Amino acid sequence: KCQKEFLEFIDVETIDKKEGGRQIVADSYDEVVYRNVSDKIGAWTEVHLLEKKTPYIYKIEDENIMKYSFDENCQKISENSQWPSLLEKVLSRVQPEDFKNDNLRSFVGTQKKGVIYNWSPKFSYSVFLLPKIEKLAKELGYEFIAVVDPRSSNKEIAASLKIIAKKLPANSRLLASENKINRNVSIDLFMRSGFNHYPVTFVSNKGKIHPHFITGIMTDEGFKDLFKIYTEELK
């Protein structure tokens, strides 16, 4: 329904159709959702298509969401919207030192090649892989930053880093213990992978983050190959 008006809206808003959008899991069984990955950090679009109902679109700029839909006569309706309850809960506890979209822009904005490692104390593999990825990234000449599940407490995060340090050889302990506690409240990183699984590793270069990310663990050679491929594709 309202297909003509919907397509006109897409054109007027100049929503980037280059990537075509990535299908994501919808909130209900009767809709199909595509999320558009923008080159601009913090800028996202979600298109929700429903059978026999009018479509609607979310346009996201940092923490702000606008919802565009159509009434029974296919007239456009625009309104401010809210985040899902999970994100609302996270965003209601944001601290000044947390890792936000602006921090992500600063990291990526250096134009250097970088690795962003997203981990959680609740996922043990992501904890023990942290120093390995940091060491690998730095040996290959990448800037490195680790960001952590914002649902974890500082105490829990610090305890995990302490465990890593104890298990590392003496000459490597500094590597893990020096990691800042960067609680990830970056909406951009959430839109890229969510809070469903850890670890997730992103590669950046030339001011952009590669739309594909590395989920889970693999061999050193596997990480090196993907780092190289994603870096080259961002040139």
Side-chain angles (χ1 to χ4, degrees), residues 130-163:
L130 168 55
K132 177 180 177 179
I133 295 297
E134 179 173 10
K135 185 172 184 290
L136 190 63
K138 289 183 175 178
E139 285 176 352
L140 295 172
Y142 286 80
E143 299 289 314
F144 176 85
I145 192 163
V147 298
V148 67
D149 182 356
R151 296 167 296 182
S152 304
S153 67
N154 283 7
K155 183 179 179 181
E156 189 178 17
I157 297 164
S160 294
L161 293 176
K162 191 174 180 180
I163 290 170

Side-chain angles (χ1 to χ4, degrees), residues 204-222:
S204 64
N205 191 32
K206 303 295 183 184
K208 293 187 286 187
I209 301 172
H210 200 285
H212 297 156
F213 48 81
I214 306 167
T215 304
I217 62 176
M218 59 178 65
T219 64
D220 286 5
E221 289 306 313

Side-chain angles (χ1 to χ4, degrees), residues 3 73 93 117 143 157 195 222:
Q3 181 176 342
N73 298 314
R93 299 188 216 154
Y117 183 73
E143 299 289 314
I157 297 164
F195 297 143

Side-chain angles (χ1 to χ4, degrees), residues 24-219:
I24 63 169
V25 177
D27 291 334
S28 61
Y29 71 92
D30 63 344
E31 66 178 326
V32 178
V33 182
Y34 293 94
R35 182 177 289 169
N36 183 272
V37 182
S38 170
D39 285 342
K40 180 184 174 185
I41 289 175
W44 293 80
T45 304
E46 276 188 7
V47 175
H48 293 244
L49 303 175
L50 300 94
E51 191 172 350
K52 297 180 180 178
K53 293 182 182 179
T54 59
Y56 59 96
I57 302 101
Y58 288 118
K59 291 200 72 177
I60 297 156
E61 289 283 345
D62 289 328
E63 287 80 35
N64 301 311
I65 313 177
M66 286 296 296
K67 179 181 179 180
Y68 299 94
S69 56
F70 302 89
D71 64 18
E72 292 181 355
N73 298 314
C74 294
Q75 296 297 306
K76 188 183 74 174
I77 303 168
S78 59
E79 57 188 328
N80 288 313
S81 189
Q82 290 185 316
W83 291 104
S85 57
L86 169 64
L87 267 180
E88 283 286 355
K89 200 171 182 181
V90 168
L91 293 173
S92 68
R93 299 188 216 154
V94 172
Q95 302 296 316
E97 66 273 15
D98 288 345
F99 189 87
K100 308 174 185 68
N101 277 356
D102 283 344
N103 301 100
L104 184 62
R105 289 189 189 97
S106 296
F107 181 82
V108 175
T110 64
Q111 303 291 310
K112 298 177 183 177
K113 60 182 185 178
V115 166
I116 304 157
Y117 183 73
N118 200 2
W119 69 284
S120 172
K122 304 178 193 312
F123 288 70
S124 58
Y125 283 120
S126 77
V127 176
F128 293 108
L129 191 64
L130 168 55
K132 177 180 177 179
I133 295 297
E134 179 173 10
K135 185 172 184 290
L136 190 63
K138 289 183 175 178
E139 285 176 352
L140 295 172
Y142 286 80
E143 299 289 314
F144 176 85
I145 192 163
V147 298
V148 67
D149 182 356
R151 296 167 296 182
S152 304
S153 67
N154 283 7
K155 183 179 179 181
E156 189 178 17
I157 297 164
S160 294
L161 293 176
K162 191 174 180 180
I163 290 170
I164 297 173
K166 285 182 179 178
K167 289 185 176 291
L168 289 172
N171 61 354
S172 300
R173 284 184 183 171
L174 196 59
L175 192 70
S177 62
E178 282 184 341
N179 280 289
K180 277 184 65 181
I181 297 177
N182 293 308
R183 288 180 67 255
N184 175 32
V185 297
S186 165
I187 293 296
D188 191 85
L189 289 182
F190 172 80
M191 296 294 284
R192 289 176 189 276
S193 67
F195 297 143
N196 297 323
H197 184 79
Y198 295 92
V200 173
T201 307
F202 302 94
V203 175
S204 64
N205 191 32
K206 303 295 183 184
K208 293 187 286 187
I209 301 172
H210 200 285
H212 297 156
F213 48 81
I214 306 167
T215 304
I217 62 176
M218 59 178 65
T219 64

